[in-house]
Amino acid sequence: MSSIPVGKGIPVDHVVDNTAEHPGERAPLVLNMHEFNDVTTTVCRVAESRRVPMAWYVAFVFSLGLLGFLGFCIAYLFATGVGVWGLNNPVMWAFDITNFVFWVGIGHAGTLISAILFLFRQKWRTGINRFAEAMTIFAVICAGIFPGIHVGRVWVIYWVFPIPNQMEMWPQFRSPLLWDVFAVSTYFTVSLLFWYTGMVPDLATLRDRARGKIRQIGYGLFALGWRGSNRHWHRYERAYLLLAALSTPLVLSVHSVVSFDFAVSQLPGWHTTIFPPYFVAGAIFSGFAMVVTLAVPARELFGLKDLITLRHLDNMNKIILVTGSMVGYAYSIEFFIAWYSGAMYEKFAFLNRAFGQYWWAYFIMVSCNVITPQLFWFKRIRTSIWGMFILSLIVNIGMWFERFVIIVSSLANDFLPTSWDVFIPTWVDIGTMIGSFGLFMTLFLLFCRYLPMIAMAEVKAVMPEADPHHDDHASDAKDEEGGANS
Amino acid sequence: MTTLSNTPDKLQSSSASRTRCYGMMAEFATPGEIMKAAEKVRAAGYRWWDCHTPFPVHGLDNAMGISPTILPVFVFFAGLTGTMIAFGLQAFTNATDWSIWAFVWVTGYPFLISGKPLLSVPAFIPVMFELTILLSALTTFGLMFLLNGLPRLHHPLFTSNRFLRASDDRFFIVIEARDPRFRRQATRDFLEGLSPIAVEEVLDT
């Protein structure tokens, strides 16, 4: 039907493995597609088809069950009090803040892909940015729950905001905990705006293809009347660039501010200057692992293998390798500084972290975060679907334990041995943690089903056919055809 | 751009049908074709016209002669406002005992904690940074759509079935009837001369 002439450049159909590096030639980002309509059809098919893969229903029911359990655990907590958690006198933060830091960290990969890779002109981001950003938003929603419910008297949680109250008192703005309120809520708002801005043209596509009245009105309202006007695209692109430029320092600041919650305190094991960069690297590390965990089944289930190609996954695995090594470096520098500082409490805190009562958590953390990701040095593993899926799960586990180790091992054994104690989680602790995965997966599955999972307009724009000079010199200079530049 | 009212002769030509003519639309198949066509439309002196594409076509802004948007200037001042609001908020609430009226009477609370200075600017930086970003981002988002005249529920172009593919794989040039150079037949002939797939008249409903 379409009359877009196929370029005589790279014979894309023959490229099944686009992970190979050919100097002077750009690897294609979209496989087996020459027409813009192919992209539209492939992506919209998921949201338009009446029948969804059985696996989706199974996953959805399962996630909904976990979400219900989360609701139950929270209701029980509210009705009874924070005593239902395994907290004790020195260990007043445990699973709650571990989950908070874990989920906020997961979010960082989405913003990195959407903002930082955009500024670096990494065109391969277009295949994965939409659902990575969705993942960011859902992860920050999960994260936001925990500080909200851990305060004990949840009915006065509005005290964290500068709202006039009956005590005529204000939040204490010199506390990192309050900076965190502002950092995380700004992060959520800006991520949501960025995600939605990117989605408006794709919602317009869904609106234009919609058959039923409900779909037309639903997608139509959220598409805001977008009609692809080039005068609009001009402002849109500028706005997109601005949002990327604003999100870049923001994403680096959020986990830095989260790390201030610990680093600004006096506790050995927390009071370290390496925390901000170390937390940011860890956040990106865990976030990319989560993107891989989600991308691998999603591209299989919804037939998106030509858009989320092996090269995209390969690139993400390289980022996991880099950030994982950074995290490993940070672990070793912490030990060096603990020794070099000469402070006995500092030295003890780190020896105790590795060999004390939580040695097993430390062991899980190091083996999952530092040792196993090194397997990504091998291309065979980076490009193996099962290999990367299993490794990404291992990284997710490892990064959860990292936060657990930092928080609990430092609190449990502080300055005074008489006040030491051990934290043992209760079923409510564990249920709330697992339940938060239910919330995350429920939101993500709904997103996959009803929204454009891939940024169609952006993918089309990086296809070689999108270059206005594509027809002019399709016969000469192959390498001038747009494509991956990673 | 000045507002252009319909000249009498054009009103006559466009009132041939009962509904008014919104404009003339030409459909193209590739970014390269619309680029060349856009250059010709601009050269022909039309001013009330637009290209509609499924994705931003690189270089089309220049071909159409679109001047850079003023959006970043507003965003800069929005960011600056955020910084100042954040500083004012923190200084007022934590370092003064003034009473001011902000919809209700509120009083600052000089909050001495851990011997930290009351007016502690370094400690105020994170919140100042966050509010700068927040206000800039909200302005970027809101103003971009407002400057674009969005959101809107309907547009004459949505009456065309052909135009449905503007969000999929086709590229359209629309010359509006309010353009002083617009003549129904002449503009149609002109667009047909640009070798499009089709030319269609869009009615203003």
Side-chain angles (χ1 to χ4, degrees):
Chain A
M1 267 300 285
S2 177
S3 51
I4 296 164
V6 174
K8 296 183 192 91
I10 311 169
V12 182
D13 283 334
H14 302 290
V15 187
V16 180
D17 173 24
N18 64 340
T19 58
E21 301 289 351
H22 298 297
E25 228 174 76
R26 284 178 172 172
L29 288 172
V30 180
L31 297 182
N32 306 321
M33 292 185 197
H34 298 295
E35 292 168 15
F36 301 126
N37 180 254
D38 295 339
V39 177
T40 317
T41 319
T42 311
V43 178
C44 291
R45 194 170 50 206
V46 181
E48 285 167 355
S49 67
R50 288 180 177 276
R51 294 182 50 193
V52 202
M54 198 56 195
W56 187 89
Y57 284 108
V58 173
F60 190 66
V61 168
F62 181 68
S63 310
L64 221 51
L66 289 183
L67 175 59
F69 192 56
L70 174 72
F72 173 75
C73 286
I74 291 177
Y76 181 58
L77 171 82
F78 285 180
T80 319
V82 279
V84 300
W85 288 344
L87 304 174
N88 53 45
N89 193 343
V91 189
M92 296 190 187
W93 277 358
F95 269 41
D96 45 359
I97 303 302
T98 301
N99 292 331
F100 164 69
V101 181
F102 173 77
W103 281 118
V104 174
I106 295 290
H108 279 54
T111 321
L112 184 102
I113 292 169
S114 58
I116 299 183
L117 295 188
F118 178 77
L119 295 183
F120 285 152
R121 300 287 186 268
Q122 292 295 306
K123 289 181 180 172
W124 61 276
R125 69 180 269 289
T126 55
I128 49 172
N129 71 341
R130 174 66 44 73
F131 76 86
E133 286 171 41
M135 179 199 79
T136 294
I137 288 157
F138 306 147
V140 178
I141 290 173
C142 290
I145 289 176
F146 290 98
I149 62 173
H150 92 300
V151 292
R153 288 186 290 161
V154 283
W155 50 94
V156 290
I157 186 69
Y158 67 92
W159 285 355
V160 301
F161 297 108
I163 300 169
N165 58 45
Q166 73 279 18
M167 302 182 300
E168 299 208 323
M169 281 177 74
W170 296 100
Q172 211 273 93
F173 279 104
R174 283 152 294 177
S175 159
L177 298 180
L178 198 66
W179 304 344
D180 223 16
V181 172
F182 280 80
V184 174
S185 48
T186 301
Y187 183 49
F188 178 73
T189 314
V190 175
S191 303
L192 190 67
L193 293 179
F194 203 0
W195 183 58
Y196 181 60
T197 304
M199 204 152 53
V200 164
D202 291 348
L203 289 171
T205 307
L206 280 171
R207 171 201 65 201
D208 290 345
R209 292 167 57 93
R211 298 240 182 273
K213 205 79 200 156
I214 297 170
R215 296 177 72 89
Q216 275 176 349
I217 292 172
Y219 288 125
L221 280 178
F222 285 101
L224 303 178
W226 185 262
R227 54 185 191 277
S229 152
N230 198 55
R231 294 179 197 277
H232 294 181
W233 277 123
H234 169 70
R235 294 191 193 95
Y236 176 92
E237 284 198 289
R238 186 46 59 101
Y240 202 86
L241 180 67
L242 283 170
L243 285 175
L246 292 167
S247 302
T248 298
L250 181 66
V251 67
L252 299 179
S253 84
V254 174
H255 230 55
S256 300
V257 171
V258 169
S259 79
F260 291 162
D261 291 348
F262 308 103
V264 174
S265 77
Q266 307 292 320
L267 193 69
W270 284 7
H271 190 62
T272 38
T273 47
I274 201 177
F275 262 21
Y278 156 35
F279 267 51
V280 172
I284 291 164
F285 177 54
S286 64
F288 268 93
M290 189 60 100
V291 177
V292 171
T293 309
L294 297 173
V296 165
R299 73 197 272 275
E300 297 279 339
L301 259 156
F302 299 115
L304 301 170
K305 284 188 196 169
D306 290 337
L307 292 168
I308 305 171
T309 65
L310 215 49
R311 190 183 183 87
H312 292 88
L313 298 172
D314 184 28
N315 283 345
M316 288 196 277
N317 293 336
K318 285 177 186 165
I319 294 179
I320 292 177
L321 174 61
V322 170
T323 47
S325 305
M326 283 184 195
V327 167
Y329 173 74
Y331 293 164
S332 53
I333 283 295
E334 274 189 323
F335 269 83
F336 171 75
I337 293 295
W339 166 76
Y340 189 66
S341 69
M344 60 181 276
Y345 296 109
E346 197 70 20
K347 270 194 238 175
F348 170 77
F350 281 91
L351 285 176
N352 181 55
R353 191 175 275 184
F355 304 110
Q357 57 186 351
Y358 290 108
W359 67 270
W360 49 273
Y362 190 83
F363 178 76
I364 295 174
M365 168 185 112
V366 170
S367 46
C368 292
N369 292 348
V370 186
I371 298 167
T372 45
Q374 299 302 319
L375 288 172
F376 278 144
W377 282 106
F378 303 103
K379 191 180 171 185
R380 275 194 68 159
I381 300 199
R382 281 203 313 273
T383 53
S384 142
I385 293 295
W386 280 106
M388 71 175 85
F389 186 66
I390 291 166
L391 273 180
S392 71
L393 287 178
I394 289 176
V395 170
N396 284 324
I397 294 167
M399 284 309 289
W400 189 89
F401 272 96
E402 182 201 287
R403 279 66 180 254
F404 179 81
V405 164
I406 291 173
I407 293 170
V408 176
S409 80
S410 308
L411 282 171
N413 308 105
D414 65 351
F415 301 98
L416 201 61
T418 51
S419 66
W420 290 359
D421 207 340
V422 57
F423 167 79
I424 297 161
T426 64
W427 65 268
V428 189
D429 276 312
I430 296 167
T432 316
M433 178 192 72
I434 294 173
S436 68
F437 282 89
L439 172 63
F440 179 74
M441 288 310 296
T442 306
L443 292 169
F444 192 78
L445 287 165
L446 285 173
F447 157 75
C448 288
R449 175 74 183 87
Y450 294 106
L451 291 173
M453 214 191 318
I454 288 180
M456 290 180 273
E458 290 184 46
V459 169
K460 287 174 195 168
V462 300
M463 286 167 73
E465 288 80 7
D467 182 359
H469 306 295
H470 176 71
D471 312 336
D472 302 347
H473 46 84
S475 47
D476 48 65
K478 281 180 189 176
D479 53 316
E480 279 183 32
E481 315 241 318
N485 58 356
S486 61
Chain B
M1 225 178 270
T2 52
T3 318
L4 301 157
S5 57
N6 287 332
T7 48
D9 64 326
K10 204 177 74 196
L11 270 178
Q12 214 160 25
S13 67
S14 61
S15 60
S17 58
R18 198 170 296 163
T19 39
R20 282 177 52 226
C21 172
Y22 170 76
M24 206 61 79
M25 176 175 89
E27 179 178 352
F28 298 89
T30 67
E33 285 171 32
I34 197 171
M35 186 86 129
K36 286 182 195 113
E39 280 162 359
K40 286 178 191 154
V41 176
R42 187 190 176 195
Y46 287 105
R47 299 187 69 187
W48 287 91
W49 67 289
D50 209 341
C51 295
H52 296 265
T53 57
F55 54 84
V57 175
H58 186 69
L60 195 55
D61 290 355
N62 279 338
M64 287 179 68
I66 298 177
S67 50
T69 170
I70 197 168
L71 183 66
V73 179
F74 283 103
V75 171
F76 174 76
F77 284 104
L80 214 57
T81 312
T83 319
M84 291 190 299
I85 287 177
F87 179 77
L89 174 76
Q90 297 179 89
F92 165 72
T93 55
N94 278 192
T96 70
D97 53 2
W98 304 340
S99 286
I100 59 164
W101 191 83
F103 300 107
V104 288
W105 280 98
V106 286
T107 310
Y109 190 101
F111 211 151
L112 189 61
I113 191 154
S114 318
K116 292 173 186 169
L118 284 179
L119 193 70
S120 172
V121 180
F124 292 168
I125 294 290
V127 174
M128 284 161 71
F129 171 78
E130 301 297 341
L131 283 197
T132 307
I133 299 285
L134 183 66
L135 258 73
S136 309
L138 286 170
T139 309
T140 307
F141 173 81
L143 203 62
M144 182 268 285
F145 283 110
L146 283 182
L147 288 174
N148 284 345
L150 300 175
R152 58 182 292 169
L153 290 172
H154 192 61
H155 192 273
L157 285 170
F158 292 150
T159 55
S160 162
N161 277 335
R162 216 172 254 289
F163 190 73
L164 289 176
R165 287 178 75 175
S167 62
D168 180 6
D169 59 349
R170 286 294 162 85
F171 304 81
F172 294 85
I173 286 184
V174 177
I175 300 178
E176 292 182 35
R178 60 176 150 173
D179 192 289
R181 286 174 186 270
F182 184 87
R183 302 289 180 278
R184 200 183 228 166
Q185 197 53 48
T187 304
R188 180 183 273 273
D189 293 344
F190 169 72
L191 284 174
E192 266 162 6
L194 301 174
S195 57
I197 297 175
V199 175
E200 186 181 301
E201 187 180 339
V202 181
L203 298 178
D204 198 351
T205 46

